[in-house]
Amino acid sequence: MERVPILKIGNILLVSIQVDMSDQTAVALQEDLAERIVATGCHGVIIDITALDIVDSFVGRMLSTIASISRVLDAETVVVGMRPAVAITLVELGLSLNGIRTALNVERGMELIAIDRADDDHDDPDDDLVPEPTASP
Amino acid sequence: MERVPILKIGNILLVSIQVDMSDQTAVALQEDLAERIVATGCHGVIIDITALDIVDSFVGRMLSTIASISRVLDAETVVVGMRPAVAITLVELGLSLNGIRTALNVERGMELIAIDRADDDHDDPDDDLVPEPTASP
């Protein structure tokens, strides 16, 4: 059975799907990803589908499942590199990839995850602390 | 024919090889990479071979060719994610991947390329300029 490699780049796990996904490969990828998120404490998962000529309901469901698993492990999932033809077919098939965020390429996906994290940090109560005044001589 | 996707991350092009390379796929990858290096002006190419169970003389030659092409286009090539078994087999086969730099994972590969570029910048003649003394009142 083929395993899809998971690459760690900073706070992000990158998965490039290039092979036809079987049931086994999909389950293995979900398990591997969940383990890697927990082991590394990464905040984001980027799934690159540049190599896919078609995204059918099976792959769509797999992407949704990965996004859901990542979410409960406190990681954002962004799907990147979708071809124009794939987007058209998806809509024609009535698959709208609910709950999955997309970006044009890996760099934009990384920006999206960074912005999300920055927003989260902004809610940090520490930000509201007023610095102590320094004693003047 | 399958095409191996090339992902741009900052100044680096990332290629994750997951499929069995045929002659055609290898040539297409070399052409695509050369075009992307010129189009993006990227300084580094990282080739991830985590998914490869074996690196034979064909793949070894392909990696060497990619490294040579990148070099003349002013980009460093680093091969990352080699499995222990692959390294052992390579040495047993007498293939030493001459002229190819390796790193343990993508992050270390990126560091390697960043360090190289920093060294290059250090050779910049501007560094040797003595700052003008400021006039004291």
Side-chain angles (χ1 to χ4, degrees):
Chain A
M1 189 193 64
E2 294 185 274
R3 283 186 112 83
V4 180
I6 300 169
L7 307 175
K8 180 176 177 292
I9 301 171
N11 268 331
I12 285 168
L13 296 176
L14 176 66
V15 180
S16 177
I17 297 179
Q18 299 174 25
V19 294
D20 289 331
M21 299 300 288
S22 67
D23 274 328
Q24 280 188 314
T25 321
V27 170
L29 176 59
Q30 287 162 15
E31 289 177 358
D32 289 350
L33 251 181
E35 272 171 32
R36 284 295 291 275
I37 292 172
V38 172
T40 60
C42 279
H43 298 317
V45 175
I46 293 183
I47 303 176
D48 169 67
I49 58 169
T50 317
L52 296 189
D53 284 324
I54 186 151
V55 171
D56 55 12
S57 60
F58 174 71
V59 173
R61 205 162 51 239
M62 183 195 72
L63 295 176
S64 292
T65 310
I66 287 176
S68 303
I69 294 173
S70 305
R71 200 171 297 124
V72 291
L73 292 172
D74 191 27
E76 277 285 332
T77 304
V78 182
V79 171
V80 305
M82 190 184 294
R83 297 191 191 180
V86 170
I88 293 167
T89 317
L90 268 180
V91 172
E92 282 176 354
L93 287 173
L95 299 168
S96 54
L97 296 186
N98 278 328
I100 301 177
R101 305 183 68 175
T102 53
L104 215 52
N105 53 42
V106 177
E107 287 182 321
R108 293 200 186 186
M110 285 178 157
E111 283 168 20
L112 210 62
I113 291 170
I115 290 168
D116 275 3
R117 280 289 141 176
D119 284 349
D120 286 357
D121 290 348
H122 197 66
D123 296 338
D124 200 7
D126 287 351
D127 286 353
D128 300 323
L129 287 179
V130 178
E132 283 184 50
T134 51
S136 53
Chain B
M1 188 194 65
E2 294 184 275
R3 280 187 115 84
V4 180
I6 300 169
L7 308 175
K8 179 176 176 293
I9 301 172
N11 268 332
I12 285 167
L13 296 177
L14 176 65
V15 180
S16 178
I17 297 179
Q18 298 174 25
V19 294
D20 289 332
M21 299 301 286
S22 67
D23 273 327
Q24 280 188 314
T25 321
V27 170
L29 176 59
Q30 287 162 15
E31 289 176 358
D32 289 350
L33 251 181
E35 272 171 32
R36 284 294 292 275
I37 292 172
V38 172
T40 60
C42 278
H43 297 319
V45 174
I46 293 183
I47 302 176
D48 169 67
I49 58 169
T50 317
L52 296 188
D53 285 324
I54 186 151
V55 171
D56 54 13
S57 59
F58 174 72
V59 174
R61 206 164 49 241
M62 183 195 72
L63 294 176
S64 292
T65 310
I66 287 176
S68 304
I69 294 172
S70 305
R71 198 171 299 123
V72 291
L73 292 173
D74 190 27
E76 276 286 331
T77 304
V78 182
V79 171
V80 305
M82 190 184 293
R83 297 192 192 180
V86 170
I88 293 167
T89 316
L90 267 180
V91 173
E92 282 175 353
L93 287 174
L95 299 169
S96 53
L97 296 186
N98 277 329
I100 301 177
R101 305 183 69 176
T102 52
L104 215 52
N105 53 42
V106 177
E107 286 182 322
R108 295 201 184 186
M110 286 179 156
E111 283 169 18
L112 211 61
I113 292 169
I115 290 168
D116 275 2
R117 281 289 142 178
D119 285 348
D120 286 355
D121 290 347
H122 196 66
D123 296 337
D124 200 12
D126 287 352
D127 287 353
D128 300 323
L129 287 178
V130 179
E132 283 184 50
T134 51
S136 53

